[in-house]
Amino acid sequence: MRRQAQHMAPWAAYCLVGLGTLIMLAPFYFMFVFATHSRSEIFSLPPPMWFGDDLANNLAILTKRLPFWRNLGWSLYVGIASTLLTLLFCSMGGYAFAMFEFRFKKALFALVMGTMLLPSFMNMIPSFMIMDLLGWIDQPRALYIPGAASAFGIFLMRQFVGSAIPRELVEAARMDGCSELGIYARIVLPLLKPALGTLGLITFIASWNNFIGPLVVMRSPDMYTLPLALRSLQSPVDTEWGALMAGSAIATLPLIVLFVLCSKQLISGLTVGAVK
Amino acid sequence: MRLAARTLVGICTSVGLLAGPAAAQQSITVAAFPAVDEIVRAALPAWQQLHPTVAVKVVSRELNDHHTAMTTALSTAVYLPDVMALEVGYLGRFAQGAGLEDLARPPYELRRYQARFVPYAFEQASTPAGAVLAVPTDIGPGTLLYRQDLLAKAGLGEANLTGSWEGYVAAGVKIKAATGAYLLAHARDMKDILIRTGIQPGEGMYFDKDSRPLVTTARFVRAFELARAVRQQKLDARVTAWSSDWSEGFKRGGVATQMSGAWLAGHLNNWLAPSTRGLWRAAQLPEGAFAAYGGTFFAIPRLADAANKPLAWQFIQLMTLNRARQLAAFKSQDAFPALLETYDDAFFDEPLAFLGGQRARRDWRTAAGQIRAVQVHKQDAFAREVIDTELDKVLERGKAIDRALADAQRLLQQRALR
Amino acid sequence: MKHLRLSPRWAPYALLAPFLLLFLVFGLFPLAFSLYLSFQSWEPTSGLAAMHYVGLDNFAFALRDEWFWKSLANTGWLALASGLPQHLVAIPLASFLHLGFKRWRNAVVGAYFLPYITSSVAIAILFSSLFSTDYGLINLLLALLREVPLLGALLPAQAVDWLNDPDALKPAISMIVFWRYVGFNVVLYLAALQTIPPDLYEAATMDGAGRLQQFFHITLPSIRPMIFFGVTLSVIGGLQLFEEPFILTGGKGGSDQAGMTAAVYLYRNAFDFNDFGAASAMSWLLFLVVALLTWLTNRAFRPRTR
């Protein structure tokens, strides 16, 4: 009996995980289904369950009302730039916070964390003032440069460095005459791969879905990133829901590709070999 | 490295653009939201004929986002558009500040044209001090849309609905019994219209002119009582406007009437419930009530580029005082004109297939003339929220009406002078 | 070259410099601005010059405002109901995926992660359709489950009016938040699990430790820093919960304001009621609450060895 129960337990777990997978996927599936229907059909109940034939029409509305591909291009550009910058700055900073002792370290870290604690829309007006002062209104750099000072990124990196990088390894490298920047580049960075993958993924997604940032700084529709562009199709009374769904569905495709690329990095077990 | 290169290229091109011949052509920026942006774009050929060298840049955002972005722009006075579209629900808020140009003053002297606009819309943009902060472009005369077929099944006619509000609710009971259809989408709709009717001159909807809250007056008591009656007799479908349930209710004939702006007929026809064509009719609101549902205005930010203001003003005039433009917007986007001289157009007499061939635009034209402007107060948005919340408590939790209104009064008093 | 070398003493400053520069400009100024604003009365559409100093007035108003307290209570409820299950599910799930799944692991993780990348616009319309009272899939599913003998007794007897009934709105929002972020936490924990050397498990298995024992004695302690990280994010994110209630209630807060979180109320004060002073004061009061709870989380997870 006990043996049998032990055999059953993993199966029950597999089923549970499988069921969860379906629940997680369901809304996502509907997004793609809705993308192929007209807004009248979307606003029916029960909603359409299978793909329809309005995709081309929805895309036509989308590209007629928006410079959609241009918006997509800006989203990609800003997303990539912001990911690279954030990874660089936050891994450096997180490493410094985790591995070094220096004056005001605790206070500084608390201050950095503090910026995470205010709702981001409270920053709208002061951010707008800074961007205007720098002349960055309508410039993509207004989206990716400020984001690189990510308190979240610093926090993640500090936690990860603390748990994944043995202090002795750094000390040993230092004894061997390796320069500080050399230690960072040759020892710390490779060990941080899973964390970099995680942070990169999260940063790219955050940038991709960032809405308040572009709302504040982007003043011409040609410069809108996707969330702002897609939302400009929305109106309280007259929204092209089909086109909006098609746009949203297309907008998730790059993220799925990115996830597939990163997940190898994240969960491949390569790093474990590196630690040894 | 490549990043740096791209940035460098970016800087060079922007410098190049600044130094280039771009300065020769003037341009103005119009900030708007969906539907209005389409109307503005449709007017661009006409504008180009008047001003071939002046380009118009249309910046469109979602309604809420647009007004949020305008708040940000006004607060810092940079990157202001030359022309700003404002929805009537936000107009009061923007009119409280000092951010908009007073169009009653020279060089605009908008009051010269006052007689050409629907009176209530013009007054809505005027402050007690006599300033006029925006020009009305479209309005939303209120109407009662109802399902003729469901009424007939219950043995009722239009007169049963429109006599009095109590009669309207009684008709709802009969409709529910005969057809199973709800009288209206949400009991809140009942409250919304009743607090708009019977406002004394000089009063606002929620506050009098000395910022004293009015929410314990008979107007609110009756609105709450009727809303509660609707809920207690299960006459409302309990669905929020613009949700799937709402749209589905119309498609299936589950809701018999809807009070709204005249424009809703167009949306029902185009996408909300196209299959119900011919089954609907429009009537004036019950008990001789007249109310506005929505409306759009154009304004000029006070701190916008002074060099562009004359052009911005001409652009607004084209949109609001030009008969052809106003009618074009009416025909293409259901934007009911605020300009009175359009009202003799043959378009008003055309039968509407969706309403079973009824010539409803004539009624809406009549309604437009009867609506009265309501004095706005800067805490109106908050007051609306308080009243909605207290109504929820009455409907969902059985709170007594006098207690609910007394609580609302207290909350509004705390805020009134902030 | 040698003289250009960084000494360990200066290294942290050099490493932090680029981050700090950006942080000073883009992080600290908005913080200072909103602190300044919380002592001002300001009607933003009149421009910056319209500010005037009112001392502690905004704070006094916020503390006496019953809606502020109500929104805080809502926030606490939602943060707990959506945050706690995320971790209680994500940690076992991640370790199960880590040890159990081989070929399908990435696909499963991907599926759980998808909600996190779905745009909020799509979520708004999808869920208003899923939560529909009469035709929504969720109520349909509940109706099916009600037929199951034992389970049926636990479920509501009638179709739930998710979005209009104030008592159902909070669970509906919590479900969405859980759905959206559980995969995110799974990914975090999976990344942390990669750093545990497999020989630890091998040794434990040799010693005859079962899977449950391994989970409690190896897995949990090893990913402790990441749990601290994940829980802290949930505390901060939960207490600032904005997007999901905002889109689900059309930016209003829902019936009887059951879904009005502190962040939604702040937003409405600032942009709907044009009272930036009060909004700033409330955001600093919220700041204090979040800071206190973050500090408590920090204490709870402090390594015992130090």
Side-chain angles (χ1 to χ4, degrees):
Chain A
M1 272 307 279
R2 229 191 118 192
R3 261 223 143 128
Q4 217 173 6
Q6 268 189 345
H7 267 287
M8 292 293 287
W11 274 113
Y14 280 111
C15 287
L16 217 60
V17 172
L19 191 71
T21 311
L22 286 184
I23 293 176
M24 291 292 151
L25 281 177
F28 207 73
Y29 166 77
F30 282 114
M31 179 165 71
F32 281 87
V33 169
F34 284 8
T36 64
H37 285 276
S38 75
R39 56 179 174 175
S40 273
E41 288 157 348
I42 294 172
F43 266 56
S44 299
L45 289 168
M49 299 281 178
W50 188 246
F51 297 91
D53 48 14
D54 278 311
L55 181 63
N57 190 23
N58 286 339
L59 284 177
I61 297 172
L62 197 63
T63 46
K64 184 185 148 262
R65 297 270 301 266
L66 299 176
F68 181 73
W69 303 113
R70 207 185 146 85
N71 298 144
L72 187 82
W74 280 126
S75 275
L76 275 175
Y77 174 65
V78 169
I80 292 169
S82 121
T83 306
L84 293 179
L85 270 186
T86 307
L87 287 184
L88 181 67
F89 289 3
C90 289
S91 61
M92 286 163 64
Y95 169 57
F97 271 121
M99 283 288 173
F100 291 89
E101 294 304 323
F102 52 93
R103 283 187 76 185
F104 307 122
K105 173 170 145 171
K106 275 198 168 153
L108 196 58
F109 188 73
L111 201 60
V112 171
M113 290 294 291
T115 53
M116 275 174 83
L117 306 188
L118 274 191
S120 59
F121 48 79
M122 291 311 296
N123 294 344
M124 280 182 73
I125 288 177
S127 303
F128 188 64
M129 290 161 71
I130 300 173
M131 294 306 165
D132 173 51
L133 213 65
L134 294 169
W136 286 6
I137 302 286
D138 251 357
Q139 304 280 343
R141 74 185 79 115
L143 294 177
Y144 61 77
I145 293 183
S150 154
F152 167 83
I154 288 280
F155 186 32
L156 178 78
M157 285 300 163
R158 190 191 79 146
Q159 290 309 102
F160 216 93
V161 170
S163 69
I165 297 176
R167 241 165 225 278
E168 307 83 58
L169 199 65
V170 176
E171 296 293 337
R174 208 168 272 152
M175 300 288 250
D176 289 349
C178 201
S179 73
E180 288 300 322
L181 285 179
I183 295 175
Y184 161 76
R186 270 180 239 123
I187 295 171
V188 175
L189 268 191
L191 284 179
L192 281 179
K193 260 188 187 170
L196 290 172
T198 314
L199 180 60
L201 188 65
I202 291 168
T203 307
F204 190 86
I205 293 169
S207 157
W208 192 260
N209 288 338
N210 182 5
F211 166 70
I212 290 180
L215 175 64
V216 172
V217 296
M218 292 306 170
R219 297 280 137 174
S220 34
D222 272 349
M223 303 303 293
Y224 285 0
T225 50
L226 277 179
L228 195 59
L230 286 174
R231 245 181 92 105
S232 73
L233 286 181
Q234 252 180 306
S235 115
V237 298
D238 189 13
T239 306
E240 289 290 351
W241 288 108
L244 199 57
M245 281 290 149
S248 306
I250 294 174
T252 52
L253 291 178
L255 297 183
I256 296 175
V257 172
L258 183 77
F259 180 79
V260 171
L261 292 178
C262 282
S263 62
K264 285 226 175 80
Q265 201 50 252
L266 292 179
I267 18 191
S268 61
L270 267 176
T271 41
V272 184
V275 174
K276 273 199 266 184
Chain B
M1 228 9 240
R2 273 183 62 195
L3 255 179
R6 292 251 352 213
T7 319
L8 210 64
V9 171
I11 292 170
C12 292
T13 29
S14 44
V15 168
L17 276 176
L18 280 178
Q25 221 207 12
Q26 217 175 344
S27 86
I28 59 170
T29 310
V30 180
F33 43 87
V36 179
D37 55 352
E38 294 293 315
I39 293 170
V40 169
R41 283 193 198 103
L44 293 186
W47 170 259
Q48 290 303 329
Q49 280 185 347
L50 294 172
H51 299 275
T53 57
V54 183
V56 174
K57 196 172 136 197
V58 185
V59 180
S60 180
R61 295 180 187 82
E62 191 266 345
L63 181 75
N64 259 312
D65 301 346
H66 165 75
H67 291 94
T68 303
M70 292 304 107
T71 305
T72 316
L74 284 171
S75 71
T76 51
V78 289
Y79 282 89
L80 281 164
D82 299 302
V83 176
M84 190 182 272
L86 292 173
E87 209 273 334
V88 64
Y90 297 83
L91 179 67
R93 242 167 289 168
F94 280 75
Q96 298 301 326
L100 302 177
E101 192 88 356
D102 179 4
L103 301 173
R105 297 232 294 262
Y108 313 101
E109 297 181 76
L110 182 60
R111 289 210 183 271
R112 281 182 296 168
Y113 309 113
Q114 179 166 0
R116 294 169 66 184
F117 291 103
V118 170
Y120 95 89
F122 192 91
E123 268 176 59
Q124 205 78 64
S126 319
T127 68
V132 184
L133 299 170
V135 192
T137 180
D138 64 58
I139 61 172
T143 186
L144 175 72
L145 297 171
Y146 67 92
R147 283 283 294 264
Q148 156 78 22
D149 55 329
L150 295 178
L151 247 69
K153 240 187 235 174
L156 298 169
E158 185 176 305
N160 297 95
L161 288 180
T162 56
S164 70
W165 289 107
E166 283 77 11
Y168 172 73
V169 175
V173 177
K174 286 186 190 146
I175 295 170
K176 184 86 192 282
T179 67
Y182 294 110
L183 175 64
L184 73 179
H186 202 285
R188 196 183 301 130
D189 298 352
M190 195 78 197
K191 179 270 299 174
D192 281 342
I193 178 69
L194 277 157
I195 62 171
R196 276 173 176 73
T197 56
I199 298 175
Q200 301 305 311
E203 277 183 5
M205 198 173 323
Y206 303 100
F207 298 94
D208 68 9
K209 60 181 191 301
D210 301 318
S211 285
R212 275 189 298 259
L214 298 166
V215 297
T216 48
T217 55
R219 179 158 54 96
F220 279 86
V221 175
R222 187 179 179 212
F224 269 54
E225 279 171 352
L226 277 162
R228 189 175 60 183
V230 163
R231 173 59 56 87
Q232 280 174 347
Q233 299 176 75
K234 298 195 165 51
L235 299 182
D236 72 325
R238 306 176 59 156
V239 295
T240 324
W242 307 104
S243 64
S244 319
D245 293 89
W246 188 66
S247 148
E248 190 62 25
F250 291 140
K251 279 182 203 153
R252 298 190 184 217
V255 176
T257 77
Q258 172 76 40
M259 288 172 274
S260 177
W263 40 261
L264 183 65
H267 293 307
L268 282 169
N269 181 37
N270 294 340
W271 63 286
L272 284 169
S275 56
T276 57
R277 184 167 307 165
L279 301 176
W280 291 86
R281 298 291 181 276
Q284 300 291 13
L285 295 168
E287 220 177 270
F290 292 100
Y293 288 80
T296 312
F297 296 78
F298 284 115
I300 300 177
R302 196 167 50 84
L303 295 170
D305 188 353
N308 283 344
K309 279 184 184 173
L311 284 166
W313 175 232
Q314 286 181 19
F315 183 82
I316 292 179
Q317 284 178 302
L318 173 71
M319 297 307 295
T320 57
L321 286 163
N322 181 301
R323 185 184 145 99
R325 295 312 333 147
Q326 283 269 301
L327 281 169
F330 190 22
K331 287 171 189 172
S332 67
Q333 302 284 344
D334 275 317
F336 206 92
L339 186 68
L340 286 171
E341 62 216 49
T342 59
Y343 285 15
D344 59 2
D345 192 81
F347 190 60
F348 283 88
D349 301 317
E350 282 177 22
L352 295 173
F354 186 76
L355 300 175
Q358 196 186 356
R359 294 169 208 276
R361 290 191 191 110
R362 290 174 178 169
D363 296 337
W364 298 336
R365 182 172 61 190
T366 311
Q370 298 288 327
I371 302 169
R372 271 205 304 235
V374 177
Q375 198 63 57
V376 293
H377 189 274
K378 70 172 173 182
Q379 295 295 355
D380 274 349
F382 178 73
R384 188 196 156 89
E385 186 64 39
V386 170
I387 286 297
D388 279 347
T389 305
E390 290 301 330
L391 182 67
D392 286 336
K393 286 183 182 161
V394 170
L395 298 179
E396 301 279 347
R397 310 217 190 265
K399 187 170 178 176
I401 288 177
D402 53 347
R403 270 189 46 227
L405 291 176
D407 283 347
Q409 179 92 358
R410 184 168 45 79
L411 275 168
L412 294 195
Q413 264 159 358
Q414 280 172 14
R415 277 264 181 167
L417 296 173
R418 270 190 73 78
Chain C
M1 273 313 275
K2 194 130 198 177
H3 59 280
L4 270 175
R5 274 204 159 177
L6 278 171
S7 74
R9 208 182 136 206
W10 291 107
Y13 299 104
L15 287 165
L16 272 172
F19 170 81
L20 280 183
L21 180 70
L22 294 188
F23 176 72
L24 281 178
V25 179
F26 300 108
L28 227 45
F29 173 69
L31 212 65
F33 183 86
S34 82
L35 188 64
Y36 176 77
L37 205 55
S38 63
F39 298 100
Q40 312 283 323
S41 162
W42 188 35
E43 203 292 303
T45 58
S46 306
L48 291 172
M51 278 187 209
H52 62 101
Y53 179 75
V54 292
L56 289 171
D57 223 32
N58 290 321
F59 288 95
F61 172 76
L63 289 173
R64 266 180 309 169
D65 182 12
E66 48 195 276
W67 278 19
F68 180 59
W69 291 104
K70 184 177 183 178
S71 73
L72 279 180
N74 286 342
T75 309
W77 198 106
L78 286 169
L80 209 63
S82 61
L84 203 60
Q86 277 179 47
H87 297 276
L88 291 182
V89 170
I91 296 171
L93 183 63
S95 59
F96 181 65
L97 288 172
H98 179 60
L99 297 173
F101 273 72
K102 290 284 177 288
R103 258 184 74 193
W104 290 95
R105 185 196 288 163
N106 284 359
V108 172
V109 177
Y112 278 82
F113 194 68
L114 277 180
Y116 181 70
I117 65 179
T118 310
S119 79
S120 54
V121 173
I123 287 175
I125 179 166
L126 288 172
F127 277 93
S128 74
S129 166
L130 288 174
F131 278 122
S132 157
T133 315
D134 295 326
Y135 319 100
L137 277 179
I138 294 177
N139 274 348
L140 230 61
L141 210 67
L142 283 180
L144 283 178
L145 289 177
R146 218 172 286 135
E147 304 302 314
V148 182
L150 274 172
L151 205 58
L154 295 171
L155 296 171
Q158 281 175 347
V160 182
D161 189 358
W162 291 105
L163 302 179
N164 286 302
D165 180 350
D167 297 322
L169 183 62
K170 280 198 189 84
I173 294 172
S174 311
M175 270 189 253
I176 297 183
V177 176
F178 172 81
W179 170 80
R180 211 172 174 198
Y181 295 100
V182 73
F184 170 82
N185 285 306
V186 169
V187 168
L188 280 188
Y189 291 130
L190 262 178
L193 288 168
Q194 308 302 311
T195 59
I196 305 177
D199 33 358
L200 269 182
Y201 288 107
E202 281 160 28
T205 315
M206 301 266 267
D207 293 345
R211 279 211 169 169
L212 267 185
Q213 277 168 304
Q214 290 183 12
F215 177 76
F216 282 108
H217 294 288
I218 301 174
T219 311
L220 276 189
S222 311
I223 60 170
R224 193 189 170 96
M226 200 52 101
I227 299 181
F228 167 58
F229 178 73
V231 170
T232 306
L233 281 189
S234 287
V235 169
I236 295 174
L239 292 175
Q240 290 182 15
L241 192 63
F242 175 72
E243 206 172 68
E244 289 80 8
F246 192 79
I247 56 180
L248 206 62
T249 63
K252 293 274 200 270
S255 184
D256 194 13
Q257 294 169 326
M260 189 175 71
T261 61
V264 171
Y265 187 46
L266 282 180
Y267 178 87
R268 300 208 64 195
N269 264 308
F271 289 101
D272 284 354
F273 312 148
N274 275 13
D275 193 345
F276 266 79
S280 298
M282 288 175 193
S283 71
W284 278 93
L285 292 172
L286 181 66
F287 178 100
L288 290 180
V289 176
V290 186
L292 178 73
L293 284 168
T294 312
W295 181 73
L296 285 177
T297 321
N298 194 354
R299 286 202 63 109
F301 282 89
R302 184 169 288 173
R304 291 193 189 106
T305 45
R306 214 181 267 172

